[in-house]
Structure formats: C-alpha cells, structure tokens
Amino acid sequence: MRARLTGIGVACPRHRIVEDVAGVASAATEFGTDVVLKTTRGGYDGKGVWMIDASTPADVVAEPFRAGVPVLAEERVDFARELSAVVARSPHGQAVAYPVVESVQRDGICVEVIAPAPGLPEDRAVEAQRVALTVAAELDVVGVLAVELFETTDGRLLVNELAMRPHNSGHWSIEGAVTSQFENHLRAVLDLPLGSPAARAPYTVMVNVLGGDLAEIYPTYRHLMARDPGLKVHWYGKGIRAGRKLGHVTVYGDDLASLRERAWHAANYIRGDIDE
Ligand SMILES: Nc1ncnc2c1ncn2[C@@H]1O[C@H](COP(=O)(O)OP(=O)(O)OP(=O)(O)O)[C@@H](O)[C@H]1O
Ligand SMILES: [Mg+2]
C-alpha cells in the first residue's frame, strides 16, 4: 500500500519491509528516529502496531515477526495531531469529500472525532481532501474511503493508513452531515448520484464508548436521554470486552468546548466511570 501511494505521489512516513530484528536496527539508523513496526495484515485498533525505541527489549522487537507475515518498519512521525479525510466515489467517477476531521487516539485506539478539525487552515484541509480524492480515483475505489493522516509539527500531511469502507472517523456524519457516510456508501455502490457531504452545524463531536467495567447499558440511556435531549447514542450490540469499541455518542452545535464536554460526559457515564 505504501509503495502504491508513493507511486502516485502521495506522501507517507519513510518506511521499508524488514525481515528480522537486525533489519529493525538498520531501519532506525536510516530513519534517524524511533521505529514503528506494523504487521502487514490483520491489524486494527492499534493491534499489530509496536512502538520501538533504543530501550525496547529484544524479545519485544522480535514479537511482530512471529505472525509470519511481512513486517513494515516506518519512522516514528512527530505529529501535532491526526486527521482523517473521508470521501465517497461511485463507479461513474463522481466523488464527494467530507469536511476533514481531527481524530484523537489513546493507546492506538480512536477515542474522539471532531468535525471539522479545529483551526485547520483552509489550504491544508483542501490538500487533505485532494489526497483522499486522488487515492480514491487512482485505486478506483467504489464507496467510502477514509484516509488517516498525520499533521506534522512542521505543517506537512503524511498518509498513515487507508480504510476502504465507512470508517469510525466518519461516524459523526450520521447526524452531523447532510448525507451520512453510510448513505453515500450505498449510493456509490448503487452508482446513484451522491448526496451532499456538507456539515449541518459548525461542529460535531463523536466520542467512542470503549468496553470497561460496564455491565448493564439500558439504564444509562434513560438518564442520558433525560439529561441531554440533543445527544445521540449508537450502540452496536457487540459483546462487551475491555477496550473494544461498543458504540458511540454524537452531539452537534456551535460551541466546541461544551459539545466536547457533553459527549465525553455521556461516554464516561455509559462506561460507568462517573455516576451522574
Ligand atoms: N509512523 C508512526 N509514527 C507515529 N505514530 C504512529 C505511526 N504509525 C501509527 N502510529 C500511531 O498508532 C496508531 C495506530 O496505527 P494504525 O492506524 O497504523 O493502526 P491500526 O491498528 O490499523 O489502527 P486502525 O484502528 O485505525 O485500523 C495511529 O493512529 C497513531 O496514533
Ligand atoms: Mg489507524
């Protein structure tokens, strides 16, 4: 994937495929920085990603090689934040680009998405959308494509990862955009005209609910519905497991600070981290 992107002129972190622990050390020398190792298949939510520095024990560095699939070593990017550019493209070539969002990660898992990314200069937002539209066109994508990006401290955009499907960083669009990523995915697959990806409000905030100690979900709904009539709760009906994405909450409006406060309150309440 990295090679293909580089081939179409899209900037990625410096990288190479490594065979063994010695290859990791040599990649670190080449990149002049700490190294991130990724198994090239089967990763999600930070599983399949190892942050390696000079103090990492050799048996940990050896771990990614145990799965028997090629291992990608890449530079550890000094990013200011992570962004995501979601686009939808149909077989007849029509494409739409959603507002570029900020995705906040904790321990390699997306915990919060803010649409649009606060304070992102217009030209950088357009650049991110262009990258996503280019990738979609070059790879002949049909449906939704999410492009995860690093915004570096010196203002560059580097592509981290592609997801060719409706993506967590686009869930905000269910309520926050005129046409959700799911609707546009279906329209694209059916080769129907795409709907507007425009935001309905100045800001939309989505917070994921990750599994923790929660046991009983339903009573929390009633309390949250009563407390915050503008809150939307989505529950995926999955089995509860620590760290697993079980659902998400969304709010939209004008004041970013209060939206974030409301969304985080709801997610923490569902998880049982707070009790009112
Ligand atoms: N080269 C890098 N430099 C710095 N941080 C990185 C790098 N690669 C990954 N990360 C961090 O690890 C997180 C997870 O990495 P990545 O998105 O590649 O893996 P994933 O497990 O497939 O995640 P996803 O759930 O998005 O599919 C990133 O969001 C980022 O915070
Ligand atoms: Mg990712």
Side-chain angles (χ1 to χ4, degrees):
M1 187 275 277
R2 290 262 188 271
R4 187 78 194 273
L5 290 177
T6 308
I8 58 173
V10 170
C12 303
R14 287 175 295 160
H15 59 276
R16 61 151 112 147
I17 296 289
V18 290
E19 310 287 332
D20 48 28
V21 173
V24 178
S26 116
T29 313
E30 178 189 333
F31 302 150
T33 153
D34 297 339
V35 166
V36 181
L37 298 181
K38 299 181 179 182
T39 51
T40 49
R41 275 191 284 282
Y44 68 98
D45 284 355
K47 296 180 182 65
V49 176
W50 288 261
M51 303 287 172
I52 306 291
D53 62 29
S55 68
T56 309
D59 58 326
V60 175
V61 185
E63 219 175 281
F65 298 97
R66 285 194 195 115
V69 295
V71 173
L72 178 77
E74 62 182 29
E75 66 175 312
R76 175 124 182 210
V77 177
D78 184 19
F79 58 79
R81 61 176 167 175
E82 296 184 62
L83 303 173
S84 176
V86 173
V87 296
R89 184 176 176 275
S90 49
H92 74 281
Q94 189 194 2
V96 293
Y98 283 89
V100 177
V101 302
E102 174 172 348
S103 77
V104 182
Q105 325 275 323
R106 204 179 282 158
D107 301 326
I109 302 176
C110 172
V111 291
E112 179 185 15
V113 169
I114 305 171
L120 184 68
E122 179 69 21
D123 57 345
R124 207 169 294 163
V126 170
E127 184 191 337
Q129 290 176 322
R130 264 191 221 290
V131 166
L133 290 168
T134 302
V135 172
E138 291 286 339
L139 303 187
D140 206 16
V141 170
V142 170
V144 168
L145 165 74
V147 178
E148 298 180 359
L149 300 141
F150 298 127
E151 184 182 16
T152 66
T153 46
D154 57 2
R156 289 171 303 133
L157 294 177
L158 300 175
V159 170
N160 172 38
E161 204 184 18
L162 305 181
M164 289 182 204
R165 53 178 164 79
H167 189 247
N168 196 185
S169 66
H171 287 355
W172 69 275
S173 67
I174 297 171
E175 293 88 6
V178 174
T179 315
S180 79
Q181 63 165 350
F182 296 99
E183 181 175 342
N184 265 336
H185 187 73
L186 291 175
R187 290 193 192 204
V189 169
L190 295 167
D191 211 9
L192 291 170
L194 300 174
S196 165
R200 294 196 216 218
Y203 286 107
T204 302
V205 176
M206 189 252 13
V207 172
N208 280 329
V209 181
L210 303 181
D213 281 339
L214 57 156
E216 191 61 62
I217 305 303
Y218 189 65
T220 68
Y221 277 23
R222 290 176 55 126
H223 175 78
L224 290 174
M225 285 172 177
R227 186 182 190 274
D228 187 349
L231 179 83
K232 299 292 179 181
V233 181
H234 295 262
W235 201 249
Y236 311 148
K238 297 182 188 170
I240 296 174
R241 204 169 60 214
R244 192 175 198 196
K245 288 172 185 161
L246 301 176
H248 71 267
V249 297
T250 306
V251 284
Y252 55 92
D254 302 314
D255 181 41
L256 180 57
S258 79
L259 292 171
R260 293 188 71 195
E261 202 276 321
R262 284 165 56 200
W264 275 104
H265 168 275
N268 289 333
Y269 184 79
I270 296 172
R271 275 173 54 88
D273 293 344
I274 49 177
D275 61 9
E276 70 176 304

